[in-house]
Amino acid sequence: MNKYSSLKLDNQLCFSLYALSREIIKLYKPMLDELNLTYTQYIVMIVLWEEEKASVKHIGNRLHLDSGTLTPLLKKLESMELIKRYRDKSDDRVVIAELTEKGASLKEKAIDIPKKVLCNIKLPLEEAIDLKRSLDNLLENLEWLYIN
């Protein structure tokens, strides 16, 4: 092993994660095109399908997105009439995003997307669960770095 082996692209965990993320998102694209959603809009909708309404800050925290990225996504979803945004009555500094009826009904059309993606990647369910657990642990470890 030479002193530059750590700089080989094939040895970069970050590159493997980056490339994998891009390839997985490509699998989502045809299904999300049918819903007229991008992947990032889709994950915002997933949070709101879970919670019906949430503060913009909470959505950003769940998705690891800053407000500069999240705000245009929310504006677009609002223009598509999938969500509505408003200020919290008890604290007008807090902006709430809430599903509209149209946004809630889209959930039914999206219900099979995760299963279809899992079938397309041909990874046994147990391995997929283990991989997700490992990635969640890694993410948690990285979050801990930023807290301390």
Side-chain angles (χ1 to χ4, degrees):
M1 185 180 282
N2 72 41
K3 73 177 190 176
Y4 297 111
S5 64
S6 67
L7 293 178
K8 288 183 71 168
L9 186 61
D10 290 344
N11 293 337
Q12 305 305 308
L13 173 63
C14 59
F15 178 73
S16 295
L17 291 169
Y18 165 78
L20 179 61
S21 176
R22 290 180 46 85
E23 293 304 314
I24 295 287
I25 290 170
K26 278 188 209 174
L27 291 175
Y28 278 91
K29 188 170 180 355
M31 292 172 267
L32 295 179
D33 284 349
E34 292 177 19
L35 303 179
N36 196 31
L37 294 174
T38 65
Y39 181 77
T40 47
Q41 291 168 344
Y42 170 68
I43 60 176
V44 169
M45 293 302 292
I46 285 176
V47 170
L48 291 172
W49 288 330
E50 277 182 47
E51 304 182 25
E52 294 184 25
K53 66 179 175 181
S55 72
V56 171
K57 182 177 181 178
H58 174 73
I59 296 168
N61 289 340
R62 293 263 335 255
L63 299 176
H64 301 270
L65 295 174
D66 61 44
S67 62
T69 302
L70 188 55
T71 298
L73 285 169
L74 294 172
K75 281 183 181 179
K76 179 65 177 171
L77 291 170
E78 189 171 37
S79 75
M80 295 165 69
E81 300 178 349
L82 299 177
I83 68 164
K84 59 184 174 184
R85 291 179 302 153
Y86 54 88
R87 299 220 173 255
D88 189 324
K89 290 177 181 142
S90 61
D91 185 348
D92 70 354
R93 297 170 297 176
V94 176
V95 176
I96 304 293
E98 183 174 356
L99 282 176
T100 62
E101 195 173 309
K102 182 179 176 183
S105 70
L106 199 59
K107 182 178 186 178
E108 199 58 42
K109 293 178 183 171
I111 191 103
D112 290 327
I113 291 175
K115 186 179 1 173
K116 288 177 182 176
V117 169
L118 188 59
C119 286
N120 283 333
I121 61 174
K122 297 178 175 72
L123 187 66
L125 182 59
E126 302 77 34
E127 286 184 41
I129 291 168
D130 288 344
L131 177 59
K132 180 167 182 337
R133 188 176 299 117
S134 293
L135 293 172
D136 288 344
N137 287 338
L138 179 58
L139 185 57
E140 190 176 310
N141 290 342
L142 291 173
E143 288 171 341
W144 182 252
L145 285 174
Y146 294 115
I147 293 170
N148 294 312

